[in-house]
mmCIF file with all atom_site columns, all heavy atoms in Angstrom:
data_model
loop_
_atom_site.group_PDB
_atom_site.id
_atom_site.type_symbol
_atom_site.label_atom_id
_atom_site.label_alt_id
_atom_site.label_comp_id
_atom_site.label_asym_id
_atom_site.label_entity_id
_atom_site.label_seq_id
_atom_site.pdbx_PDB_ins_code
_atom_site.Cartn_x
_atom_site.Cartn_y
_atom_site.Cartn_z
_atom_site.occupancy
_atom_site.B_iso_or_equiv
_atom_site.pdbx_formal_charge
_atom_site.auth_seq_id
_atom_site.auth_comp_id
_atom_site.auth_asym_id
_atom_site.auth_atom_id
_atom_site.pdbx_PDB_model_num
ATOM 1   N N   . HIS A 1 163 ? 16.041 -12.934 -4.906  1.00 0.00 ? 1068 HIS A N   1
ATOM 2   C CA  . HIS A 1 163 ? 14.634 -12.510 -5.222  1.00 0.00 ? 1068 HIS A CA  1
ATOM 3   C C   . HIS A 1 163 ? 14.669 -11.222 -5.993  1.00 0.00 ? 1068 HIS A C   1
ATOM 4   O O   . HIS A 1 163 ? 15.668 -10.463 -6.111  1.00 0.00 ? 1068 HIS A O   1
ATOM 5   C CB  . HIS A 1 163 ? 13.881 -12.354 -3.968  1.00 0.00 ? 1068 HIS A CB  1
ATOM 6   C CG  . HIS A 1 163 ? 14.374 -11.282 -3.062  1.00 0.00 ? 1068 HIS A CG  1
ATOM 7   N ND1 . HIS A 1 163 ? 13.945 -9.995  -3.034  1.00 0.00 ? 1068 HIS A ND1 1
ATOM 8   C CD2 . HIS A 1 163 ? 15.354 -11.365 -2.103  1.00 0.00 ? 1068 HIS A CD2 1
ATOM 9   C CE1 . HIS A 1 163 ? 14.598 -9.297  -2.129  1.00 0.00 ? 1068 HIS A CE1 1
ATOM 10  N NE2 . HIS A 1 163 ? 15.385 -10.122 -1.533  1.00 0.00 ? 1068 HIS A NE2 1
ATOM 11  N N   . THR A 1 164 ? 13.505 -10.945 -6.592  1.00 0.00 ? 1069 THR A N   1
ATOM 12  C CA  . THR A 1 164 ? 13.288 -9.649  -7.285  1.00 0.00 ? 1069 THR A CA  1
ATOM 13  C C   . THR A 1 164 ? 13.444 -8.551  -6.316  1.00 0.00 ? 1069 THR A C   1
ATOM 14  O O   . THR A 1 164 ? 13.020 -8.522  -5.180  1.00 0.00 ? 1069 THR A O   1
ATOM 15  C CB  . THR A 1 164 ? 11.827 -9.631  -7.779  1.00 0.00 ? 1069 THR A CB  1
ATOM 16  O OG1 . THR A 1 164 ? 11.649 -10.732 -8.684  1.00 0.00 ? 1069 THR A OG1 1
ATOM 17  C CG2 . THR A 1 164 ? 11.519 -8.298  -8.449  1.00 0.00 ? 1069 THR A CG2 1
ATOM 18  N N   . ALA A 1 165 ? 14.298 -7.531  -6.855  1.00 0.00 ? 1070 ALA A N   1
ATOM 19  C CA  . ALA A 1 165 ? 14.659 -6.444  -5.906  1.00 0.00 ? 1070 ALA A CA  1
ATOM 20  C C   . ALA A 1 165 ? 14.024 -5.134  -6.455  1.00 0.00 ? 1070 ALA A C   1
ATOM 21  O O   . ALA A 1 165 ? 14.651 -4.046  -6.339  1.00 0.00 ? 1070 ALA A O   1
ATOM 22  C CB  . ALA A 1 165 ? 16.196 -6.322  -5.824  1.00 0.00 ? 1070 ALA A CB  1
ATOM 23  N N   . THR A 1 166 ? 12.908 -5.237  -6.982  1.00 0.00 ? 1071 THR A N   1
ATOM 24  C CA  . THR A 1 166 ? 12.220 -4.091  -7.670  1.00 0.00 ? 1071 THR A CA  1
ATOM 25  C C   . THR A 1 166 ? 10.964 -3.730  -6.939  1.00 0.00 ? 1071 THR A C   1
ATOM 26  O O   . THR A 1 166 ? 10.213 -4.688  -6.420  1.00 0.00 ? 1071 THR A O   1
ATOM 27  C CB  . THR A 1 166 ? 11.947 -4.449  -9.130  1.00 0.00 ? 1071 THR A CB  1
ATOM 28  O OG1 . THR A 1 166 ? 13.085 -4.791  -9.818  1.00 0.00 ? 1071 THR A OG1 1
ATOM 29  C CG2 . THR A 1 166 ? 11.278 -3.237  -9.881  1.00 0.00 ? 1071 THR A CG2 1
ATOM 30  N N   . ILE A 1 167 ? 10.602 -2.461  -6.888  1.00 0.00 ? 1072 ILE A N   1
ATOM 31  C CA  . ILE A 1 167 ? 9.430  -2.069  -6.275  1.00 0.00 ? 1072 ILE A CA  1
ATOM 32  C C   . ILE A 1 167 ? 8.337  -1.789  -7.400  1.00 0.00 ? 1072 ILE A C   1
ATOM 33  O O   . ILE A 1 167 ? 8.665  -1.119  -8.316  1.00 0.00 ? 1072 ILE A O   1
ATOM 34  C CB  . ILE A 1 167 ? 9.533  -0.735  -5.445  1.00 0.00 ? 1072 ILE A CB  1
ATOM 35  C CG1 . ILE A 1 167 ? 10.480 -0.935  -4.303  1.00 0.00 ? 1072 ILE A CG1 1
ATOM 36  C CG2 . ILE A 1 167 ? 8.132  -0.193  -4.933  1.00 0.00 ? 1072 ILE A CG2 1
ATOM 37  C CD1 . ILE A 1 167 ? 10.871 0.260   -3.592  1.00 0.00 ? 1072 ILE A CD1 1
ATOM 38  N N   . TYR A 1 168 ? 7.160  -2.368  -7.213  1.00 0.00 ? 1073 TYR A N   1
ATOM 39  C CA  . TYR A 1 168 ? 6.043  -2.235  -8.166  1.00 0.00 ? 1073 TYR A CA  1
ATOM 40  C C   . TYR A 1 168 ? 5.117  -1.132  -7.735  1.00 0.00 ? 1073 TYR A C   1
ATOM 41  O O   . TYR A 1 168 ? 4.733  -1.030  -6.586  1.00 0.00 ? 1073 TYR A O   1
ATOM 42  C CB  . TYR A 1 168 ? 5.236  -3.481  -8.255  1.00 0.00 ? 1073 TYR A CB  1
ATOM 43  C CG  . TYR A 1 168 ? 6.018  -4.763  -8.697  1.00 0.00 ? 1073 TYR A CG  1
ATOM 44  C CD1 . TYR A 1 168 ? 6.725  -5.498  -7.733  1.00 0.00 ? 1073 TYR A CD1 1
ATOM 45  C CD2 . TYR A 1 168 ? 5.942  -5.122  -10.001 1.00 0.00 ? 1073 TYR A CD2 1
ATOM 46  C CE1 . TYR A 1 168 ? 7.434  -6.638  -8.202  1.00 0.00 ? 1073 TYR A CE1 1
ATOM 47  C CE2 . TYR A 1 168 ? 6.667  -6.318  -10.411 1.00 0.00 ? 1073 TYR A CE2 1
ATOM 48  C CZ  . TYR A 1 168 ? 7.501  -7.010  -9.390  1.00 0.00 ? 1073 TYR A CZ  1
ATOM 49  O OH  . TYR A 1 168 ? 8.175  -8.167  -9.905  1.00 0.00 ? 1073 TYR A OH  1
ATOM 50  N N   . MET A 1 169 ? 4.772  -0.232  -8.665  1.00 0.00 ? 1074 MET A N   1
ATOM 51  C CA  . MET A 1 169 ? 3.902  0.819   -8.337  1.00 0.00 ? 1074 MET A CA  1
ATOM 52  C C   . MET A 1 169 ? 2.503  0.518   -8.940  1.00 0.00 ? 1074 MET A C   1
ATOM 53  O O   . MET A 1 169 ? 2.390  0.274   -10.169 1.00 0.00 ? 1074 MET A O   1
ATOM 54  C CB  . MET A 1 169 ? 4.380  2.204   -8.913  1.00 0.00 ? 1074 MET A CB  1
ATOM 55  C CG  . MET A 1 169 ? 5.741  2.603   -8.267  1.00 0.00 ? 1074 MET A CG  1
ATOM 56  S SD  . MET A 1 169 ? 6.158  4.333   -8.747  1.00 0.00 ? 1074 MET A SD  1
ATOM 57  C CE  . MET A 1 169 ? 6.157  4.290   -10.524 1.00 0.00 ? 1074 MET A CE  1
ATOM 58  N N   . MET A 1 170 ? 1.535  0.584   -8.184  1.00 0.00 ? 1075 MET A N   1
ATOM 59  C CA  . MET A 1 170 ? 0.122  0.281   -8.648  1.00 0.00 ? 1075 MET A CA  1
ATOM 60  C C   . MET A 1 170 ? -0.752 1.481   -8.290  1.00 0.00 ? 1075 MET A C   1
ATOM 61  O O   . MET A 1 170 ? -0.581 2.137   -7.255  1.00 0.00 ? 1075 MET A O   1
ATOM 62  C CB  . MET A 1 170 ? -0.427 -0.982  -7.843  1.00 0.00 ? 1075 MET A CB  1
ATOM 63  C CG  . MET A 1 170 ? 0.533  -2.061  -7.666  1.00 0.00 ? 1075 MET A CG  1
ATOM 64  S SD  . MET A 1 170 ? 1.199  -2.842  -9.182  1.00 0.00 ? 1075 MET A SD  1
ATOM 65  C CE  . MET A 1 170 ? -0.360 -3.719  -9.726  1.00 0.00 ? 1075 MET A CE  1
ATOM 66  N N   . ASN A 1 171 ? -1.707 1.847   -9.268  1.00 0.00 ? 1076 ASN A N   1
ATOM 67  C CA  . ASN A 1 171 ? -2.475 2.908   -8.990  1.00 0.00 ? 1076 ASN A CA  1
ATOM 68  C C   . ASN A 1 171 ? -3.659 2.595   -8.039  1.00 0.00 ? 1076 ASN A C   1
ATOM 69  O O   . ASN A 1 171 ? -3.726 1.427   -7.566  1.00 0.00 ? 1076 ASN A O   1
ATOM 70  C CB  . ASN A 1 171 ? -3.104 3.521   -10.314 1.00 0.00 ? 1076 ASN A CB  1
ATOM 71  C CG  . ASN A 1 171 ? -4.033 2.595   -11.033 1.00 0.00 ? 1076 ASN A CG  1
ATOM 72  O OD1 . ASN A 1 171 ? -4.517 1.637   -10.466 1.00 0.00 ? 1076 ASN A OD1 1
ATOM 73  N ND2 . ASN A 1 171 ? -4.212 3.006   -12.315 1.00 0.00 ? 1076 ASN A ND2 1
ATOM 74  N N   . GLU A 1 172 ? -4.615 3.508   -7.809  1.00 0.00 ? 1077 GLU A N   1
ATOM 75  C CA  . GLU A 1 172 ? -5.714 3.293   -6.779  1.00 0.00 ? 1077 GLU A CA  1
ATOM 76  C C   . GLU A 1 172 ? -6.675 2.170   -7.235  1.00 0.00 ? 1077 GLU A C   1
ATOM 77  O O   . GLU A 1 172 ? -7.392 1.720   -6.397  1.00 0.00 ? 1077 GLU A O   1
ATOM 78  C CB  . GLU A 1 172 ? -6.432 4.604   -6.512  1.00 0.00 ? 1077 GLU A CB  1
ATOM 79  C CG  . GLU A 1 172 ? -7.227 5.119   -7.618  1.00 0.00 ? 1077 GLU A CG  1
ATOM 80  C CD  . GLU A 1 172 ? -6.511 5.880   -8.700  1.00 0.00 ? 1077 GLU A CD  1
ATOM 81  O OE1 . GLU A 1 172 ? -5.202 5.867   -8.680  1.00 0.00 ? 1077 GLU A OE1 1
ATOM 82  O OE2 . GLU A 1 172 ? -7.182 6.532   -9.516  1.00 0.00 ? 1077 GLU A OE2 1
ATOM 83  N N   . THR A 1 173 ? -6.578 1.820   -8.472  1.00 0.00 ? 1078 THR A N   1
ATOM 84  C CA  . THR A 1 173 ? -7.616 0.756   -8.948  1.00 0.00 ? 1078 THR A CA  1
ATOM 85  C C   . THR A 1 173 ? -6.839 -0.568  -9.035  1.00 0.00 ? 1078 THR A C   1
ATOM 86  O O   . THR A 1 173 ? -7.349 -1.577  -9.553  1.00 0.00 ? 1078 THR A O   1
ATOM 87  C CB  . THR A 1 173 ? -8.235 1.127   -10.323 1.00 0.00 ? 1078 THR A CB  1
ATOM 88  O OG1 . THR A 1 173 ? -7.204 1.217   -11.312 1.00 0.00 ? 1078 THR A OG1 1
ATOM 89  C CG2 . THR A 1 173 ? -9.063 2.388   -10.206 1.00 0.00 ? 1078 THR A CG2 1
ATOM 90  N N   . GLY A 1 174 ? -5.567 -0.631  -8.573  1.00 0.00 ? 1079 GLY A N   1
ATOM 91  C CA  . GLY A 1 174 ? -4.852 -1.825  -8.583  1.00 0.00 ? 1079 GLY A CA  1
ATOM 92  C C   . GLY A 1 174 ? -4.186 -2.175  -9.915  1.00 0.00 ? 1079 GLY A C   1
ATOM 93  O O   . GLY A 1 174 ? -3.734 -3.329  -10.097 1.00 0.00 ? 1079 GLY A O   1
ATOM 94  N N   . GLN A 1 175 ? -3.989 -1.224  -10.754 1.00 0.00 ? 1080 GLN A N   1
ATOM 95  C CA  . GLN A 1 175 ? -3.327 -1.417  -12.023 1.00 0.00 ? 1080 GLN A CA  1
ATOM 96  C C   . GLN A 1 175 ? -1.873 -1.060  -11.932 1.00 0.00 ? 1080 GLN A C   1
ATOM 97  O O   . GLN A 1 175 ? -1.484 0.033   -11.319 1.00 0.00 ? 1080 GLN A O   1
ATOM 98  C CB  . GLN A 1 175 ? -4.061 -0.556  -13.121 1.00 0.00 ? 1080 GLN A CB  1
ATOM 99  C CG  . GLN A 1 175 ? -5.439 -1.060  -13.440 1.00 0.00 ? 1080 GLN A CG  1
ATOM 100 C CD  . GLN A 1 175 ? -6.074 -0.058  -14.463 1.00 0.00 ? 1080 GLN A CD  1
ATOM 101 O OE1 . GLN A 1 175 ? -6.283 1.085   -14.179 1.00 0.00 ? 1080 GLN A OE1 1
ATOM 102 N NE2 . GLN A 1 175 ? -6.393 -0.579  -15.685 1.00 0.00 ? 1080 GLN A NE2 1
ATOM 103 N N   . PHE A 1 176 ? -1.026 -1.823  -12.551 1.00 0.00 ? 1081 PHE A N   1
ATOM 104 C CA  . PHE A 1 176 ? 0.436  -1.531  -12.620 1.00 0.00 ? 1081 PHE A CA  1
ATOM 105 C C   . PHE A 1 176 ? 0.700  -0.294  -13.376 1.00 0.00 ? 1081 PHE A C   1
ATOM 106 O O   . PHE A 1 176 ? 0.259  -0.216  -14.589 1.00 0.00 ? 1081 PHE A O   1
ATOM 107 C CB  . PHE A 1 176 ? 1.168  -2.733  -13.155 1.00 0.00 ? 1081 PHE A CB  1
ATOM 108 C CG  . PHE A 1 176 ? 2.677  -2.574  -13.516 1.00 0.00 ? 1081 PHE A CG  1
ATOM 109 C CD1 . PHE A 1 176 ? 3.532  -2.442  -12.398 1.00 0.00 ? 1081 PHE A CD1 1
ATOM 110 C CD2 . PHE A 1 176 ? 3.029  -2.428  -14.713 1.00 0.00 ? 1081 PHE A CD2 1
ATOM 111 C CE1 . PHE A 1 176 ? 4.822  -2.253  -12.704 1.00 0.00 ? 1081 PHE A CE1 1
ATOM 112 C CE2 . PHE A 1 176 ? 4.384  -2.205  -15.026 1.00 0.00 ? 1081 PHE A CE2 1
ATOM 113 C CZ  . PHE A 1 176 ? 5.291  -2.147  -13.982 1.00 0.00 ? 1081 PHE A CZ  1
ATOM 114 N N   . VAL A 1 177 ? 1.579  0.603   -12.879 1.00 0.00 ? 1082 VAL A N   1
ATOM 115 C CA  . VAL A 1 177 ? 1.812  1.760   -13.610 1.00 0.00 ? 1082 VAL A CA  1
ATOM 116 C C   . VAL A 1 177 ? 3.373  2.099   -13.613 1.00 0.00 ? 1082 VAL A C   1
ATOM 117 O O   . VAL A 1 177 ? 3.799  3.069   -14.314 1.00 0.00 ? 1082 VAL A O   1
ATOM 118 C CB  . VAL A 1 177 ? 1.186  3.112   -13.047 1.00 0.00 ? 1082 VAL A CB  1
ATOM 119 C CG1 . VAL A 1 177 ? -0.405 2.961   -13.228 1.00 0.00 ? 1082 VAL A CG1 1
ATOM 120 C CG2 . VAL A 1 177 ? 1.498  3.274   -11.505 1.00 0.00 ? 1082 VAL A CG2 1
ATOM 121 N N   . GLY A 1 178 ? 4.228  1.245   -13.034 1.00 0.00 ? 1083 GLY A N   1
ATOM 122 C CA  . GLY A 1 178 ? 5.620  1.591   -13.138 1.00 0.00 ? 1083 GLY A CA  1
ATOM 123 C C   . GLY A 1 178 ? 6.465  0.875   -12.074 1.00 0.00 ? 1083 GLY A C   1
ATOM 124 O O   . GLY A 1 178 ? 5.953  0.086   -11.265 1.00 0.00 ? 1083 GLY A O   1
ATOM 125 N N   . LEU A 1 179 ? 7.754  1.003   -12.162 1.00 0.00 ? 1084 LEU A N   1
ATOM 126 C CA  . LEU A 1 179 ? 8.777  0.341   -11.333 1.00 0.00 ? 1084 LEU A CA  1
ATOM 127 C C   . LEU A 1 179 ? 9.680  1.324   -10.698 1.00 0.00 ? 1084 LEU A C   1
ATOM 128 O O   . LEU A 1 179 ? 9.964  2.355   -11.195 1.00 0.00 ? 1084 LEU A O   1
ATOM 129 C CB  . LEU A 1 179 ? 9.531  -0.701  -11.999 1.00 0.00 ? 1084 LEU A CB  1
ATOM 130 C CG  . LEU A 1 179 ? 8.888  -1.825  -12.730 1.00 0.00 ? 1084 LEU A CG  1
ATOM 131 C CD1 . LEU A 1 179 ? 9.836  -2.554  -13.643 1.00 0.00 ? 1084 LEU A CD1 1
ATOM 132 C CD2 . LEU A 1 179 ? 8.303  -2.794  -11.797 1.00 0.00 ? 1084 LEU A CD2 1
ATOM 133 N N   . ILE A 1 180 ? 10.166 0.970   -9.463  1.00 0.00 ? 1085 ILE A N   1
ATOM 134 C CA  . ILE A 1 180 ? 11.357 1.683   -8.823  1.00 0.00 ? 1085 ILE A CA  1
ATOM 135 C C   . ILE A 1 180 ? 12.365 0.672   -8.691  1.00 0.00 ? 1085 ILE A C   1
ATOM 136 O O   . ILE A 1 180 ? 12.270 -0.398  -8.079  1.00 0.00 ? 1085 ILE A O   1
ATOM 137 C CB  . ILE A 1 180 ? 10.914 2.222   -7.512  1.00 0.00 ? 1085 ILE A CB  1
ATOM 138 C CG1 . ILE A 1 180 ? 9.817  3.298   -7.674  1.00 0.00 ? 1085 ILE A CG1 1
ATOM 139 C CG2 . ILE A 1 180 ? 12.127 2.905   -6.829  1.00 0.00 ? 1085 ILE A CG2 1
ATOM 140 C CD1 . ILE A 1 180 ? 9.335  3.740   -6.358  1.00 0.00 ? 1085 ILE A CD1 1
ATOM 141 N N   . SER A 1 181 ? 13.581 0.951   -9.229  1.00 0.00 ? 1086 SER A N   1
ATOM 142 C CA  . SER A 1 181 ? 14.625 -0.077  -9.310  1.00 0.00 ? 1086 SER A CA  1
ATOM 143 C C   . SER A 1 181 ? 15.339 -0.034  -7.895  1.00 0.00 ? 1086 SER A C   1
ATOM 144 O O   . SER A 1 181 ? 15.304 0.879   -7.132  1.00 0.00 ? 1086 SER A O   1
ATOM 145 C CB  . SER A 1 181 ? 15.668 0.272   -10.366 1.00 0.00 ? 1086 SER A CB  1
ATOM 146 O OG  . SER A 1 181 ? 15.041 0.325   -11.626 1.00 0.00 ? 1086 SER A OG  1
ATOM 147 N N   . TYR A 1 182 ? 16.056 -1.168  -7.621  1.00 0.00 ? 1087 TYR A N   1
ATOM 148 C CA  . TYR A 1 182 ? 16.837 -1.233  -6.512  1.00 0.00 ? 1087 TYR A CA  1
ATOM 149 C C   . TYR A 1 182 ? 17.894 -0.104  -6.416  1.00 0.00 ? 1087 TYR A C   1
ATOM 150 O O   . TYR A 1 182 ? 18.647 0.069   -7.404  1.00 0.00 ? 1087 TYR A O   1
ATOM 151 C CB  . TYR A 1 182 ? 17.504 -2.595  -6.318  1.00 0.00 ? 1087 TYR A CB  1
ATOM 152 C CG  . TYR A 1 182 ? 18.507 -2.758  -5.131  1.00 0.00 ? 1087 TYR A CG  1
ATOM 153 C CD1 . TYR A 1 182 ? 18.074 -2.480  -3.921  1.00 0.00 ? 1087 TYR A CD1 1
ATOM 154 C CD2 . TYR A 1 182 ? 19.746 -3.130  -5.429  1.00 0.00 ? 1087 TYR A CD2 1
ATOM 155 C CE1 . TYR A 1 182 ? 18.969 -2.671  -2.857  1.00 0.00 ? 1087 TYR A CE1 1
ATOM 156 C CE2 . TYR A 1 182 ? 20.696 -3.282  -4.372  1.00 0.00 ? 1087 TYR A CE2 1
ATOM 157 C CZ  . TYR A 1 182 ? 20.249 -3.057  -3.080  1.00 0.00 ? 1087 TYR A CZ  1
ATOM 158 O OH  . TYR A 1 182 ? 21.150 -3.191  -2.047  1.00 0.00 ? 1087 TYR A OH  1
ATOM 159 N N   . GLN A 1 183 ? 18.043 0.571   -5.341  1.00 0.00 ? 1088 GLN A N   1
ATOM 160 C CA  . GLN A 1 183 ? 18.993 1.707   -5.195  1.00 0.00 ? 1088 GLN A CA  1
ATOM 161 C C   . GLN A 1 183 ? 18.861 2.684   -6.246  1.00 0.00 ? 1088 GLN A C   1
ATOM 162 O O   . GLN A 1 183 ? 19.858 3.362   -6.631  1.00 0.00 ? 1088 GLN A O   1
ATOM 163 C CB  . GLN A 1 183 ? 20.425 1.105   -5.055  1.00 0.00 ? 1088 GLN A CB  1
ATOM 164 C CG  . GLN A 1 183 ? 20.708 0.291   -3.843  1.00 0.00 ? 1088 GLN A CG  1
ATOM 165 C CD  . GLN A 1 183 ? 22.185 0.083   -3.604  1.00 0.00 ? 1088 GLN A CD  1
ATOM 166 O OE1 . GLN A 1 183 ? 22.884 -0.234  -4.511  1.00 0.00 ? 1088 GLN A OE1 1
ATOM 167 N NE2 . GLN A 1 183 ? 22.644 0.235   -2.396  1.00 0.00 ? 1088 GLN A NE2 1
ATOM 168 N N   . GLU A 1 184 ? 17.695 2.994   -6.739  1.00 0.00 ? 1089 GLU A N   1
ATOM 169 C CA  . GLU A 1 184 ? 17.373 4.048   -7.669  1.00 0.00 ? 1089 GLU A CA  1
ATOM 170 C C   . GLU A 1 184 ? 17.677 5.377   -6.919  1.00 0.00 ? 1089 GLU A C   1
ATOM 171 O O   . GLU A 1 184 ? 17.422 5.485   -5.646  1.00 0.00 ? 1089 GLU A O   1
ATOM 172 C CB  . GLU A 1 184 ? 15.904 4.070   -8.153  1.00 0.00 ? 1089 GLU A CB  1
ATOM 173 C CG  . GLU A 1 184 ? 15.599 5.070   -9.235  1.00 0.00 ? 1089 GLU A CG  1
ATOM 174 C CD  . GLU A 1 184 ? 14.310 4.758   -9.950  1.00 0.00 ? 1089 GLU A CD  1
ATOM 175 O OE1 . GLU A 1 184 ? 14.056 3.476   -10.138 1.00 0.00 ? 1089 GLU A OE1 1
ATOM 176 O OE2 . GLU A 1 184 ? 13.648 5.645   -10.404 1.00 0.00 ? 1089 GLU A OE2 1
ATOM 177 N N   . PRO A 1 185 ? 18.188 6.397   -7.588  1.00 0.00 ? 1090 PRO A N   1
ATOM 178 C CA  . PRO A 1 185 ? 18.515 7.704   -6.911  1.00 0.00 ? 1090 PRO A CA  1
ATOM 179 C C   . PRO A 1 185 ? 17.332 8.176   -6.058  1.00 0.00 ? 1090 PRO A C   1
ATOM 180 O O   . PRO A 1 185 ? 16.183 8.120   -6.548  1.00 0.00 ? 1090 PRO A O   1
ATOM 181 C CB  . PRO A 1 185 ? 18.997 8.567   -8.032  1.00 0.00 ? 1090 PRO A CB  1
ATOM 182 C CG  . PRO A 1 185 ? 19.489 7.612   -9.014  1.00 0.00 ? 1090 PRO A CG  1
ATOM 183 C CD  . PRO A 1 185 ? 18.621 6.391   -9.028  1.00 0.00 ? 1090 PRO A CD  1
#
Side-chain angles (χ1 to χ4, degrees):
H1068 63 91
T1069 300
T1071 304
I1072 297 171
Y1073 300 82
M1074 297 192 301
M1075 318 299 288
N1076 67 15
E1077 71 277 11
T1078 62
Q1080 295 174 296
F1081 170 73
V1082 292
L1084 297 171
I1085 298 173
S1086 301
Y1087 173 56
Q1088 289 193 322
E1089 186 161 330

